[in-house]
Amino acid sequence: MSETYDLIIRGGEVVNHAGRGLSDVGVRAGKIVAIGDLSQASAGEVFDAKGLAVLPGVIDTQVHFREPGLEWKEDLESGSRAAVLGGVVAVFEMPNTEPTTTDPDALADKLVRAKGRMHCDHAFYVGGTHENAVFLGELERLPGCCGIKVFMGASTGSLLVQDDEGIEQVLRHVNRRAAFHSEDEYRLAERRPLARTGDWTSHEEVRDAASALESTHRLVRIAKALGKRIHVLHVTTAEEMIFLAANKDVASVEVTPQHLTLTAPEAYERLKGYAQMNPPIRNKYHQDGLWNGLAAGVADVLGSDHAPHTKEEKARPYPASPSGMPGVQTLVPVMLTHVANGRLSLERFVDLTSHGANRLFGMADKGRLAVGNDADFTIVDLKAKRIIKHEDMASRVGWTPFDGFEATGWPMATIIRGRVVMRDDEVIASHLGEPVRFSETLGG
């Protein structure tokens, strides 16, 4: 008697811990239960993946979905719609909302808002502050929390811990890996007068490479002294990548598609406010340094740092324009284009978008295309050529810095816990997102 499954993904090239090869995948009750030749098996639903690559579900470990308080830019529904259209199965959302996510009530509120509205699975960072530092050990154990996030340099929002004593207090009280926006606020404050009105090329002078490097040196020193794990978000400098390579015992590293793809000054001249983010888009020397770190295995994860602002806000003359750009919907096609161009292997892409998140954050049942894990898949056509366009973006702000970018490689389906949520650029199963579970908080 043949085996029966809820879903069989048939005939695709499976890319996972075992390498690459043609295989079928069998799903039951939202979990992967078989990988291999299932040609004799039957299923309630069969997904024909012939000619496509079947990847573990892509996880974006840094997004800002702006809810509550800033819903005119984005909300949990629209941000997660953009995610699943981009092949993303789960997101970790940032705490710089209004009010900030810094206490149990604010975290619980986000989880309630997400239920029945978010299209992808989700977890939320709790913001670390001077005021809540002593409570962080309890806050990071709450269900639905992916960890603690700290801003060492002022970015968008009111969260800021700029001093060594504050960082030390945060790290003393956390046990999980804490994530940091690493720019030195003292140096940034000194350099703000360097901003030239209406000239976005001055953004990387204000927030120069030394601002990032000095902050990261301070952060690593404190983490080493306390024996704590840190995650350095959106690394942008060649020197940081070299320094962090020597400190992998405590530090993990995130890079973004924007910093790997856009370069200064060209991006600022062409895109103006649309190219403004923190830390800034930098020149080719630093971008080459990021790619070297990627090739050497120093970078652990890719995050989009999806941080939308309206076209009107972005049109203000620099420095009145806010920093941040959308990215959750374009992460997969932009990075698959680098795969197509030979800068990145498909296996390394999978490591950066699934396995890395699984390792760093201790996801209980996500991030690996393996028997026993959630049946999360990003199914892509590696040969598909598409132009990324403003009008195809699901984000509320309706723009992308990659407008006009010719992508090679495109997400054709997003499957979350065995449900086909997106297929052929259309969301076909809505609002099914659930909180992500983490091994370190299963008792929480």
Side-chain angles (χ1 to χ4, degrees):
M1 195 169 129
S2 73
E3 287 275 354
T4 305
Y5 299 92
D6 299 333
L7 169 70
I8 292 176
I9 300 169
R10 189 158 272 161
E13 183 183 28
V14 170
V15 187
N16 67 355
H17 54 276
R20 295 170 69 163
L22 292 178
S23 190
D24 304 326
V25 184
V27 174
R28 244 187 244 123
K31 298 284 186 185
I32 299 169
V33 293
I35 302 170
D37 180 2
L38 306 179
S39 57
Q40 302 305 307
S42 58
E45 182 179 5
V46 174
F47 187 106
D48 182 3
K50 192 172 182 189
L52 304 175
V54 181
L55 314 181
V58 168
I59 297 154
D60 188 344
T61 49
Q62 190 187 176
V63 303
H64 303 259
F65 282 173
R66 305 300 193 203
E67 182 179 350
L70 304 158
E71 287 91 342
W72 68 88
K73 303 177 198 272
E74 195 75 286
D75 62 28
L76 296 175
E77 190 282 329
S78 61
S80 62
R81 179 177 292 274
V84 298
L85 285 167
V88 172
V89 303
V91 295
F92 294 0
E93 205 268 341
M94 286 293 173
N96 54 332
T97 44
E98 293 180 7
T100 54
T101 318
T102 51
D103 58 47
D105 290 345
L107 177 63
D109 177 60
K110 278 192 174 176
L111 287 163
V112 168
R113 289 168 178 271
K115 191 172 176 62
R117 285 179 62 232
M118 286 189 75
H119 303 283
C120 62
D121 287 355
H122 45 269
F124 299 99
Y125 284 98
V126 168
T129 68
H130 290 98
E131 293 73 28
N132 73 359
V134 295
F135 305 113
L136 292 176
E138 299 161 47
L139 289 168
E140 70 178 354
R141 285 188 54 78
L142 292 172
C145 176
C146 49
I148 303 304
K149 160 72 182 287
V150 179
F151 289 87
M152 292 175 71
S155 192
T156 303
S158 59
L159 297 167
L160 180 64
V161 182
Q162 65 200 60
D163 55 303
D164 285 5
E165 189 181 351
I167 297 299
E168 193 173 313
Q169 279 295 99
V170 166
L171 285 177
R172 274 193 193 284
H173 290 96
V174 299
N175 295 300
R176 297 173 71 185
R177 186 180 295 274
F180 288 83
H181 179 126
S182 183
E183 288 183 288
D184 189 286
E185 179 59 24
Y186 303 104
R187 186 175 175 89
L188 296 181
E190 284 173 10
R191 298 180 68 81
R192 282 191 185 111
L194 297 175
R196 296 186 293 275
T197 302
D199 182 359
W200 281 273
T201 64
S202 63
H203 187 55
E204 66 161 342
E205 295 169 40
V206 174
R207 304 181 87 105
D208 67 344
S211 303
L213 184 61
E214 287 175 16
S215 175
T216 300
H217 272 275
R218 288 170 49 211
L219 175 59
V220 167
R221 185 182 72 245
I222 296 166
K224 286 232 175 201
L226 297 175
K228 298 290 184 171
R229 293 170 292 167
I230 55 173
H231 181 50
V232 187
L233 297 163
H234 40 46
V235 170
T236 58
T237 73
E239 288 77 15
E240 275 179 291
M241 199 60 93
I242 293 164
F243 172 70
L244 289 165
N247 291 281
K248 292 294 288 179
D249 53 339
V250 296
S252 57
V253 174
E254 177 196 75
V255 287
T256 78
Q258 300 92 294
H259 293 117
L260 291 167
T261 308
L262 304 173
T263 51
E266 184 277 331
Y268 295 110
E269 292 162 356
R270 179 169 56 89
L271 297 169
K272 301 190 165 45
Y274 286 175
Q276 182 186 334
M277 68 177 294
N278 301 334
I281 301 300
R282 301 198 192 277
N283 63 28
K284 190 170 185 304
Y285 163 77
H286 288 297
Q287 188 182 79
D288 287 346
L290 299 186
W291 278 105
N292 290 340
L294 206 68
V298 182
D300 296 280
V301 292
L302 271 167
S304 73
D305 193 14
H306 176 90
H309 298 282
T310 65
K311 295 174 184 176
E312 293 74 21
E313 289 170 318
K314 281 293 197 176
R316 294 176 196 153
Y318 184 78
S321 48
S323 291
M325 56 181 74
V328 71
Q329 191 172 340
T330 53
L331 181 152
V332 171
V334 168
M335 294 310 298
L336 287 181
T337 304
H338 290 304
V339 172
N341 292 338
R343 289 207 86 170
L344 187 70
S345 70
L346 189 58
E347 292 88 341
R348 182 70 169 119
F349 171 80
V350 164
D351 187 61
L352 289 162
T353 54
S354 302
H355 299 165
N358 171 282
R359 278 194 305 271
L360 295 190
F361 296 95
M363 303 176 86
D365 39 22
K366 284 193 183 301
R368 280 166 62 79
L369 200 167
V371 167
N373 272 27
D374 281 357
D376 294 340
F377 309 96
T378 300
I379 299 182
V380 300
D381 183 341
L382 295 171
K383 296 187 174 70
K385 289 190 184 293
R386 305 272 185 91
I387 304 292
I388 295 173
K389 298 176 187 170
H390 289 319
E391 56 264 34
D392 295 331
M393 297 297 106
S395 171
R396 283 202 159 181
V397 296
W399 65 270
T400 167
F402 295 107
D403 180 62
F405 180 98
E406 184 179 359
T408 303
W410 200 261
M412 307 307 289
T414 307
I415 299 176
I416 303 175
R417 286 173 284 103
R419 298 285 298 276
V420 182
V421 172
M422 183 280 287
R423 189 164 193 172
D424 298 331
D425 302 311
E426 188 180 343
V427 178
I428 57 173
S430 300
H431 313 122
L432 296 177
E434 290 184 4
V436 174
R437 298 162 69 241
F438 299 91
S439 301
E440 291 185 59
T441 63
L442 288 178

